[in-house]
Amino acid sequence: MILVTGGAGFIGSNLVNHLSKSKKTQIVSVDWKNKENSDYFNCDSILKVSPKNLHNFLKKNHKSIELIIHLGAITSTVEKNVRLIVENNINLSIFLWDWCVKKKRFIYASSAATYGNGENDFIDNDSSNYLSELLPLNVYGWSKHIVDKFVANKTKMNITPAQCVGLKFFNVYGPNENHKGEMRSIALKIYQKIKKKSEVRLFKSHNPDYKDGEQLRDFIYVKDVVDIICWFAENAKIDGLFNVGSGQPRSFKDLAKAVFKNCNAEQKIKYVNTPNNIRKQYQYFTKANIQKLRNAGFKKKFLSLEEGVTDYIRNHLNNE
């Protein structure tokens, strides 16, 4: 049995749908049900558990559960409710890690937000010395960073689950992100603006090293993310903290151009000032160093930005 927290969320639902195809083991989704994610699943064999029943479910199915893939979290980078983030992003992660110690396998979601402004590079080094140098820019990033440091310290003490993998997700986009509100990807936001014949806006650059719209992000399509997670699920002897990105930073202008093209729309962009409340925390460049992932044995080639956007729009968004 494989249990996926956040199983009805963005990455979680794509993962659960993929895992359920094999029918080799029972897939369990732990998540809240709402109108936005009610149609995310494409398989009836998925067992759905409410988060309020998680503790009892773990107790009753202790022998059956082999692997927990922990994706559930408060993912908003502007969330100000510290208590909510501590409870969901830190305490729950540590509880599940502890439940898996020694006998069970544990794969959990970290984030590229742990790297802060990138001044220490984007290297998935899980040594305590390197982690202590990172300074996340928001509470969400700090919550993920605290869990990374907790896991690293316990691993140093040889206290660990049977497998323990942390995945630092970069800018993921793709199907099943409609429920995310303002946290949905720029690709989806631009698509929705074009379909409504509304103005497409991108942030101006307030950094002399970057022109408007040429701020760079490591965009990665959710199908590639699912392939990475499944690869770790299939390779139980591999542990550690790994970046999950394409390794190829692209500009917001490139992304917008790809969306316009797939919508057969004329490219029109208005550049607006970055809001003052996030301007100091704004990242102008992210790039996942994926050498550690490659060295571990993951060889699959990632979809380009253009390939991912084309699949997203033509095979998913246009069909909704």
Side-chain angles (χ1 to χ4, degrees), residues 173-218:
Y173 66 98
N176 296 0
E177 55 171 323
N178 296 301
H179 66 287
K180 290 173 65 67
E182 280 304 307
M183 292 298 108
R184 66 195 189 282
S185 72
I186 299 297
L188 178 57
K189 289 181 179 180
I190 293 175
Y191 174 86
Q192 291 172 335
K193 289 289 186 181
I194 293 173
K195 288 300 179 180
K196 293 179 180 178
K197 300 187 184 304
S198 300
E199 190 174 60
V200 172
R201 299 181 177 186
L202 295 179
F203 289 152
K204 288 181 179 179
S205 173
H206 301 277
N207 183 327
D209 295 332
Y210 296 86
K211 295 180 181 180
D212 292 344
E214 295 188 3
Q215 303 94 321
L216 298 171
R217 289 288 185 277
D218 192 323

Side-chain angles (χ1 to χ4, degrees), residues 16-29:
V16 166
N17 284 332
H18 183 82
L19 289 171
S20 63
K21 292 177 182 178
S22 69
K23 298 181 180 180
K24 293 181 180 179
T25 186
Q26 176 69 63
I27 307 301
V28 182
S29 167

Side-chain angles (χ1 to χ4, degrees), residues 48-59:
K48 302 171 185 176
V49 175
S50 171
K52 65 182 181 181
N53 298 324
L54 174 59
H55 286 66
N56 286 335
F57 186 84
L58 291 174
K59 185 176 181 180

